[in-house]
Amino acid sequence: MNKKTAIKQLNLLNKHGRKMRLAAESWSSQFQTLISIILSARTRDETTIKVAKELFKKYPTSEKLSKANLNDIEKIIKPVNFYKNKSKNILNCSKDLVKEYHSKVPESIDKLIKLPGVGRKTANVFLAEKGQDALGVDTHVYYISRYLDWTKNKDPNKIEKDLVKLFPKNYWRKINPVAVRFGKTYTSRREKDKILGEIKKIK
């Protein structure tokens, strides 16, 4: 796979995806962006956005969320998958942000991944949303990049390294949202594979 082909394929993927708001987008603060990304894991973006809006009505800042009652958080975010675990994570993440970073979200991956509930994918999606050259590998990126032979690896960290080598830096932050929008536009595996099969022929 060469860079020019990969870029053409990514651009075609972008044209096939519907325009829609993703969970990481359009929040009023970096804190809200990070929390919404944590909530979005294994959960539909539409659900995450709705739940996050309710959460931020009551707890709009890290200071307020850090003082919240765990049961109250659980009640609000119950519609998202793994809500009990995520409730603990976002509460403890808020406490750490207040204590360690004066309520500001750090903008380095090494500091981000030390926060509760923040893995490498979440950190990269956050950094990309803030305009940094970062690449978050989720299930959509995993499936598409393997289908199109951008990578042969199955480990997300190795896939990230392969894509970083394949694509120019200014494309990194585009890959995740393009892949997610494509994956959400075509929910049927058959339909998805048909379009990816056509894109794969591009040279």
Side-chain angles (χ1 to χ4, degrees), residues 188-199:
S188 143
R189 177 64 66 89
R190 187 176 179 181
E191 193 177 22
K192 193 179 297 180
D193 287 356
K194 183 181 177 182
I195 295 169
L196 286 174
E198 291 300 314
I199 291 174

Side-chain angles (χ1 to χ4, degrees), residues 26-203:
S26 303
W27 297 106
S28 62
S29 69
Q30 293 195 4
F31 163 72
Q32 292 184 4
T33 299
L34 180 63
I35 297 301
S36 67
I37 297 170
I38 295 172
L39 294 177
S40 72
R42 305 286 181 176
T43 301
R44 289 167 59 85
D45 290 68
E46 299 90 329
T47 303
T48 302
I49 291 166
K50 186 178 178 180
V51 167
K53 282 180 178 178
E54 287 301 310
L55 181 71
F56 298 144
K57 274 183 189 176
K58 192 168 184 181
Y59 308 110
T61 65
S62 54
E63 292 94 333
K64 289 193 175 180
L65 189 55
S66 70
K67 296 172 184 174
N69 179 280
L70 182 61
N71 289 333
D72 289 341
I73 297 173
E74 287 180 353
K75 286 176 186 174
I76 295 171
I77 74 161
K78 194 171 183 179
V80 304
N81 291 323
F82 313 110
Y83 74 95
K84 284 186 175 290
N85 194 41
K86 288 178 182 177
S87 294
K88 292 173 187 173
N89 281 335
I90 64 173
L91 177 59
N92 290 326
C93 180
S94 300
K95 288 178 179 178
D96 282 5
L97 288 173
V98 172
K99 185 180 177 182
E100 304 293 335
Y101 301 105
H102 308 289
S103 301
K104 292 182 180 179
V105 181
E107 293 194 21
S108 81
I109 194 160
D110 292 334
K111 290 179 179 177
L112 281 167
I113 59 176
K114 290 178 182 176
L115 293 169
V118 181
R120 189 169 182 87
K121 184 267 290 184
T122 296
N124 275 327
V125 171
F126 172 81
L127 293 172
E129 180 61 24
K130 292 301 151 192
Q132 290 196 33
D133 298 315
L135 201 166
V137 177
D138 67 353
T139 53
H140 297 288
V141 175
Y142 176 95
Y143 183 77
I144 290 169
S145 60
R146 282 177 51 78
Y147 194 106
L148 296 178
D149 295 327
W150 295 348
T151 181
K152 298 291 185 187
N153 282 302
K154 293 183 178 180
D155 177 80
N157 291 336
K158 290 180 180 177
I159 291 173
E160 181 189 336
K161 287 178 182 177
D162 288 342
L163 297 184
V164 162
K165 288 178 186 174
L166 179 61
F167 286 90
K169 188 177 282 190
N170 60 313
Y171 281 88
W172 295 354
R173 67 176 178 268
K174 300 175 184 177
I175 293 171
N176 183 277
V178 167
V180 172
R181 285 190 172 94
F182 178 84
K184 287 173 64 59
T185 301
Y186 303 98
T187 53
S188 143
R189 177 64 66 89
R190 187 176 179 181
E191 193 177 22
K192 193 179 297 180
D193 287 356
K194 183 181 177 182
I195 295 169
L196 286 174
E198 291 300 314
I199 291 174
K200 194 173 181 178
K201 295 175 185 176
I202 299 298
K203 299 297 180 187

